[in-house]
Amino acid sequence: MRLDSHDVAILHDRFPAMGGGERFAIEAARVLDAPIFTMYVADGVESPDDVTIVPIRQGKYTRGLSGHLLEWKNEGMNPLETMSVALDWTDAHDELANYDVVLESAPLSKSYVPPVDQTVLHYPHSPPRWLYDLYRERLAAFDYPGVQLALKGYAKWWRTLDKEANDYIDRFVANSELVRDRIQRYYNRDATVVYPPVTGDWRDEGDDGYFVTWSRLAPEKRIGLVIDAFAGLDERLLVVGDGKERERLERKARPHDNVELLGFLPDVEDVVSRATAVVYAPKDEDFGLVGAEALTAGKPLIGVNEGYTRQQVVEGKTGLGFAPTVRSLRETVEAFDPDDFDTDDIQEFARRYDRRTFAQSLREVVDRTHREAAEKRTAVDADDTKPIRIR
């Protein structure tokens, strides 16, 4: 059974900005020739012309008193907005009822309640980490007994809703083996791995003698650790990106002539194309698009031995790994020799992140899931029509 283009819809939480999750939803919509339904698109977010994005509650989240209260803040940590988006997905959405298949992108879209005969795939990027593997760490940041008690109750309520919504899902799809293992651990469900695609003009144009790291400048990306490791080295470091830690990182880098913060650059591919290597030190990264982009460009990845980044580093072939300490990274950079790495070998490894690979894998898993779900429903219907023998 092959799916026609009008049979599939993409569900994405919301579009507060054009981040990695939003870009994934757009690429999935292109591959499946499907519209994207979302709660809202924030002001200033530009969407591509070749994809249809349908905001379901645009006015509620962007205008009037409700829009002011639900304004996107703290990079998604507005609990009122998060709760509102999840609950709004539970409403009856007539515009979605006629689709045979929905692909849910990001965690909150899982709250959508489908019709009985609709096939649902869920691509969460990760189970909500603040509810599971990062729960105790996040809770410890609020060192007030009353506040901690309230947060424990809030998290327990959310955990219940999160797991209840798993009943609506025919198949989980994970963006990496790490996320597949989290889904198994916290949901007791299997998941099919489909790597998100790398898009952009990633290429190798030689070596101008500098190292580069780029990402959103947030604490979990540990850019400060990278800057500290390069302080005092002869090697040059370029940092690309923007975020709430920018001012602090600029103060940290100011005394060191070999470290430069460039801010956000729309053409980061140009900077990477002439780099010696890419340095990446995020904390327990779910997938690590930066690592995948670096490898696609054929650049060695000096990556932290944590999360999925650890699986992107094949020692001596795609890069070098380091422990999440200043000393370990500094020693790794000092030991790094670009002549030990071959661009073609690195790019061959990165083919798993190619858009064509993604398109083929996504279509296959959608087709297979819909076929199996339809067969299962047919079997149940046939069983229900069997006559009852009374003795």
Side-chain angles (χ1 to χ4, degrees):
M1 179 187 300
R2 291 292 300 177
L3 297 175
D4 296 325
S5 60
H6 65 274
D7 288 328
V8 186
I10 310 295
L11 275 56
H12 187 70
D13 295 358
R14 66 288 224 216
F15 277 73
M18 196 56 70
E22 288 70 39
R23 288 195 292 271
F24 168 83
I26 288 169
E27 286 303 314
R30 286 170 173 154
V31 167
L32 300 173
D33 194 17
I36 301 173
F37 291 84
T38 187
M39 276 301 132
Y40 69 93
V41 179
D43 293 338
V45 175
E46 296 184 6
S47 57
D49 295 334
D50 62 328
V51 173
T52 300
I53 300 178
V54 183
I56 298 174
R57 297 280 191 274
Q58 183 72 9
K60 174 180 177 179
Y61 289 92
T62 60
R63 292 189 289 273
L65 178 60
S66 63
H68 180 72
L69 292 174
L70 299 171
E71 181 182 2
W72 185 267
K73 293 180 179 179
N74 301 323
E75 297 178 343
M77 296 304 292
N78 180 343
L80 182 61
E81 188 265 1
T82 300
M83 179 173 60
S84 179
V85 169
L87 293 178
D88 279 346
W89 274 117
T90 66
D91 292 344
H93 297 294
D94 294 339
E95 58 269 63
L96 295 174
N98 292 327
Y99 289 94
D100 293 332
V101 179
V102 295
L103 172 65
E104 299 169 343
S105 165
L108 296 183
S109 58
K110 185 171 66 171
S111 299
Y112 166 70
V113 181
V116 173
D117 58 350
Q118 195 170 61
T119 301
V120 179
L121 298 92
H122 186 62
Y123 196 109
H125 302 286
S126 178
R129 301 192 64 190
W130 69 278
L131 290 178
Y132 299 105
D133 59 308
L134 295 182
Y135 169 66
R136 292 177 181 82
E137 177 182 318
R138 297 288 175 86
L139 191 65
F142 298 90
D143 192 18
Y144 305 97
V147 174
Q148 282 199 349
L149 181 62
L151 289 175
K152 286 180 181 179
Y154 179 72
K156 185 174 180 60
W157 175 76
W158 256 113
R159 222 173 275 123
T160 300
L161 292 181
D162 182 55
K163 293 189 175 185
E164 177 186 272
N166 292 342
D167 294 341
Y168 308 142
I169 295 169
D170 293 289
R171 186 184 300 275
F172 280 90
V173 186
N175 64 10
S176 68
E177 289 81 2
L178 174 65
V179 171
R180 178 196 62 194
D181 293 344
R182 287 181 189 162
I183 290 170
Q184 177 62 50
R185 180 68 182 89
Y186 299 120
Y187 296 156
N188 195 29
R189 294 282 297 270
D190 294 329
T192 301
V193 176
V194 175
Y195 297 121
V198 168
T199 59
D201 185 21
W202 301 98
R203 62 200 185 277
D204 176 35
E205 294 185 345
D207 180 356
D208 283 1
Y210 58 80
F211 293 76
V212 63
T213 186
W214 77 97
S215 70
R216 177 171 44 89
L217 301 185
E220 62 270 19
K221 300 301 182 180
R222 294 195 289 214
I223 302 297
L225 183 152
V226 179
I227 293 174
D228 288 340
F230 274 80
L233 293 181
D234 292 333
E235 305 293 351
R236 184 182 175 204
L237 173 69
L238 300 184
V239 179
V240 180
D242 204 351
K244 61 184 179 182
E245 284 221 310
R246 181 171 178 175
E247 291 185 8
R248 184 184 75 83
L249 295 173
E250 286 177 337
R251 290 194 299 269
K252 182 185 285 288
R254 197 168 294 132
H256 309 294
D257 293 338
N258 65 319
V259 179
E260 184 178 358
L261 270 72
L262 303 180
F264 171 77
L265 295 178
D267 54 351
V268 65
E269 295 98 326
D270 292 342
V271 177
V272 175
S273 70
R274 300 186 302 276
T276 301
V278 172
V279 183
Y280 197 41
K283 184 171 185 178
D284 289 323
E285 190 72 287
D286 304 329
F287 172 70
L289 188 59
V290 167
E293 290 168 340
L295 299 175
T296 300
K299 297 298 179 178
L301 177 64
I302 300 177
V304 67
N305 289 326
E306 286 186 2
Y308 183 67
T309 306
R310 174 171 49 197
Q311 299 181 35
Q312 292 175 321
V313 175
V314 179
E315 289 286 332
K317 180 179 179 180
T318 66
L320 297 176
F322 63 90
T325 66
V326 170
R327 178 179 178 180
S328 178
L329 176 52
R330 181 177 290 146
E331 291 175 348
T332 303
V333 172
E334 290 174 333
F336 175 80
D337 184 348
D339 292 336
D340 292 340
F341 299 90
D342 182 80
T343 297
D344 292 338
D345 288 345
I346 295 172
Q347 291 180 325
E348 178 63 30
F349 178 89
R351 289 187 189 279
R352 64 191 65 191
Y353 310 127
D354 183 82
R355 187 181 185 277
R356 288 170 295 183
T357 303
F358 166 73
Q360 179 180 348
S361 299
L362 184 63
R363 290 190 187 108
E364 286 178 354
V365 73
V366 168
D367 286 343
R368 184 171 73 251
T369 303
H370 184 51
R371 182 176 63 252
E372 291 173 353
E375 290 172 353
K376 183 177 179 181
R377 285 191 291 267
T378 301
V380 170
D381 291 342
D383 190 62
D384 288 343
T385 60
K386 290 182 180 178
I388 300 175
R389 181 175 297 176
I390 301 177
R391 297 183 178 179

